[in-house]
Amino acid sequence: MKHEYPEGFQNLINLLKGLPGVGRRTAERMAFSMLKWPPEKLAEFGTAVCELRKNTTFCPECGNLSSAGSSCGICSSASRDRTIICAVEESFQIFNIEQSGLFKGVYHVIGGKLSPLEGKGIDDLNIKNLLKRIDVDKVKEVILAFSNDVEGQATSIYIAEELKKKNVNVTRLAHGLPAGSDISYADSATIAAALHGRRPL
């Protein structure tokens, strides 16, 4: 007879497997680890998950993560240069760039990249709001910090063409990011080099 986990335990494994980069074996190890947690830690974890969508939302200005009902810390900071925008695919990439300590402008989260095979087109991305910000904040430069793959390049080209209609300087990350690479996995030194060497698009 095939061995099966108790239903509740298997349900947890199935949910964990739905996370990016988590396979069956990893999900099992995570579930077994959680099984050893004291009740109060499990309760704290459960509360954090249940309240995630209630307490965490997206910044109405840039699309970055923020506390519910407020702009993110970067958009709220008076020390950031609002005339320079760094456009990224997803909000977690902002934290990668911030680790470099080099960029002092603000960000804009596009929400992915053009991918016809996945059914993601222009209207599915946060591009219109980016174009609006150009006029509102008198933006001088937009840095396109997208992954250096086919979809990322296609997205960069489309956005660059739209931005050029507004006479704004458009640049992209340069050397340091090899062809086909994903900015999500680049370290702070690599990102710093790419920011320093950004070039017109």
Side-chain angles (χ1 to χ4, degrees):
M1 182 177 177
K2 182 181 178 181
H3 172 71
E4 294 182 353
Y5 291 121
E7 183 179 358
F9 192 76
Q10 185 61 54
N11 287 342
L12 176 59
I13 291 174
N14 292 339
L15 288 170
L16 292 171
K17 280 167 54 182
L19 295 172
V22 178
R24 177 175 171 271
R25 295 291 187 187
T26 301
E28 287 178 339
R29 288 196 296 269
M30 293 169 70
F32 273 108
S33 176
M34 294 170 69
L35 196 59
K36 298 176 183 178
W37 288 359
E40 58 271 17
K41 186 174 181 180
L42 278 172
E44 183 180 359
F45 181 81
T47 299
V49 172
C50 289
E51 295 184 350
L52 178 63
R53 294 297 295 270
K54 182 175 71 174
N55 296 332
T56 306
T57 185
F58 297 100
C59 176
E61 294 185 65
C62 72
N64 187 19
L65 292 181
S66 66
S67 297
S70 64
S71 297
C72 70
I74 294 175
C75 286
S76 301
S77 174
S79 65
R80 307 297 292 226
D81 184 354
R82 301 183 69 87
T83 66
I84 303 178
I85 294 178
C86 181
V88 297
E89 295 166 22
E90 303 291 352
S91 56
F92 63 83
Q93 293 168 333
I94 291 176
F95 297 93
N96 293 355
I97 296 174
E98 284 294 289
Q99 288 295 316
S100 72
L102 183 66
F103 185 65
K104 303 303 179 184
V106 293
Y107 296 90
H108 189 86
V109 181
I110 297 298
K113 48 193 173 184
L114 294 173
S115 181
L117 292 178
E118 296 179 3
K120 182 161 285 191
I122 296 168
D123 293 335
D124 299 309
L125 302 178
N126 189 22
I127 297 175
K128 291 181 180 179
N129 285 340
L130 172 61
L131 299 177
K132 290 178 182 177
R133 293 180 69 188
I134 302 302
D135 299 323
V136 173
D137 293 327
K138 296 180 173 57
V139 174
K140 298 177 182 177
E141 179 184 3
V142 175
I143 304 170
L144 301 179
F146 299 145
S147 299
N148 197 14
D149 54 19
V150 174
E151 293 85 359
Q153 290 182 24
T155 307
S156 293
I157 291 172
Y158 174 80
I159 294 176
E161 291 300 317
E162 292 298 308
L163 290 171
K164 286 176 182 177
K165 297 175 184 177
K166 292 183 172 291
N167 295 318
V168 63
N169 187 30
V170 184
T171 59
R172 63 178 175 182
L173 299 185
H175 56 274
L177 292 177
S181 64
D182 189 329
I183 189 176
S184 306
Y185 303 107
D187 58 36
S188 58
T190 299
I191 291 176
L195 280 169
H196 268 305
R198 64 184 186 272
R199 56 185 185 271
L201 183 65

